[in-house]
Amino acid sequence: MDIINNLLAYGWWVAVVLIVVGFVVLVKGADFLVDGSSAIAKRFGISDLVIGLTVVAFGTSMPEFVVNMVSVAEGSTDLAITNILGSNIINTLVILGLTALVYPVASQKRSRDFDIPMSIIAGVLVLIFVTVQLPFGETEKGIGRMGGIILLLLFVYFLYNMFRHTKEHPEEGQGDNVQSTKEIPVRRAIALILGGLVGLVVGGELIVKSAVDLATRMGVSEAVVGLTIVALGTSLPELATSVIAAFKHNSDIALGNVIGSNIFNVFFVLGTSATLRPLPAYEGIELDACVAALGSIIVWMAVKTNHEREIQRWAGGLLLLVYIAYLTYRLMTL
């Protein structure tokens, strides 16, 4: 969009303003899309449970998805990877850490036995892809098209397992994943969908173009901006939802939301991005991938080492300390 480039010419402060505006437009666009799509799905007789497992679940990862699609289209591949790694790091270390400090985060058996291990696998796979040149005709380290296809296949398996588990244990699906869908007239639902799509595209363009411009002005890499500003912005919906739930002593929904978002981000968003355009490794990516995987490992150990099977306050503090140490080191080594 030429108008964005023209505005950015006025200075770095315009880039900051446009990033903030972009996040607001992006998040509202995702909300409109979820509301409209859920209402249409309800009209076709689809249950709230299925809507929660599909439309709502995809909607929470839509900000990361749109930012990645715009980044891939613009050729900003570093931003595409760091947006996902940074979001997952913030989701696990910051969001779960803060939530657990407010109120211990409970876990369900499925999360302990399947979802959290899958999020660990996601982090380890990314680490393997960016440190080992795979024998699939890849010319450099990074997440190539074959790596993207592998991630997408694992995403299909995750969806299959999720639906099968929900069908076999319907009583467990009455909590985290169910969203009561409001009755909305068809015309309004369609308007929400169209408005949401426009908001997502405009918000994504504002964020990516402004983030690249800000990185250039600051003399830092796109990777650093992606790991901090962009990743934090796309994680704001999960942060607000989880912390508010903790204050209401309903923090059990936080773990499912965060781990589910991490899995969607790597398997679906990163998988789609790499399939469309190979994502080469950047300097420091090994550390970022390690920390992303480490966060899930700490969470898994935290819920496995106490009788309550929850992330207790000490574990929340540990998660935050790991993030502070990681961010400090990352910024000191620019």
Side-chain angles (χ1 to χ4, degrees), residues 178-189:
V178 177
Q179 173 166 312
S180 181
T181 307
K182 298 178 181 179
E183 293 289 341
I184 298 176
V186 175
R187 288 184 179 180
R188 185 184 173 195

Side-chain angles (χ1 to χ4, degrees), residues 49 108-111 165-166 168-178:
L49 176 59
Q108 293 186 353
K109 187 176 186 302
R110 173 188 161 82
S111 292
H165 179 84
T166 302
E168 294 175 353
H169 305 276
E171 72 284 353
E172 293 185 17
Q174 300 307 312
D176 297 357
N177 296 315
V178 177

